[in-house]
Amino acid sequence: MMTTLNKRGLLQALAGLAAVSLAGVAHARTPDIAAIDAAGAAGIGRAWLALHPSDAAALRAALFPRDQPEETLPRLAQRVRTDFQRGDVFVHKGWFLSDTEARICALIALA
């Protein structure tokens, strides 16, 4: 059965999946993470990286600059809104993602 996520749920799951991937944890406890196709997110990330070469350390520093997890989701959500307001989007196979979401996918691809 496929779970439908809203935009906030998608952002939470992507951020969680990126954190899990970076930490090398084999299994996450966040239910929304299970609804994300990690291979699909990595594919989006590889497509973004083809246009914007980067490495995991640079992406991690840009996306997660502070060691305060309680601020991460609200800050990323604000960045997503700002990206869309500015037109900073990445289009992949008909999907319109904010640059922030695409960077999270890139981080997943590099994990």
Side-chain angles (χ1 to χ4, degrees), residues 2-3 5 17 21 30 40 63 73 75 77-78 92-94 101 105 108-109:
M2 182 159 223
T3 304
L5 292 176
L17 187 58
S21 296
T30 305
L63 291 166
L73 185 60
R75 187 177 38 73
Q78 180 57 49
H92 180 70
K93 296 185 179 181
E101 292 166 321
C105 290
I108 292 166

Side-chain angles (χ1 to χ4, degrees), residues 6-8 10-11 14 41 44-45 48 63 76 79-80 83-84 88-90 96-108:
N6 60 23
K7 194 74 165 171
R8 181 176 174 84
L10 176 64
L11 183 59
L14 285 173
I44 292 168
W48 186 87
L63 291 166
L76 288 174
R79 287 181 65 175
V80 167
D83 287 350
F84 280 117
D88 293 337
V89 297
F90 177 69
F96 286 75
L97 292 96
S98 74
D99 191 58
T100 298
E101 292 166 321
R103 285 174 184 238
I104 292 170
C105 290
L107 193 55
I108 292 166

Side-chain angles (χ1 to χ4, degrees), residues 53-64:
S54 190
D55 61 38
L59 287 168
R60 191 178 315 116
L63 291 166
F64 307 106

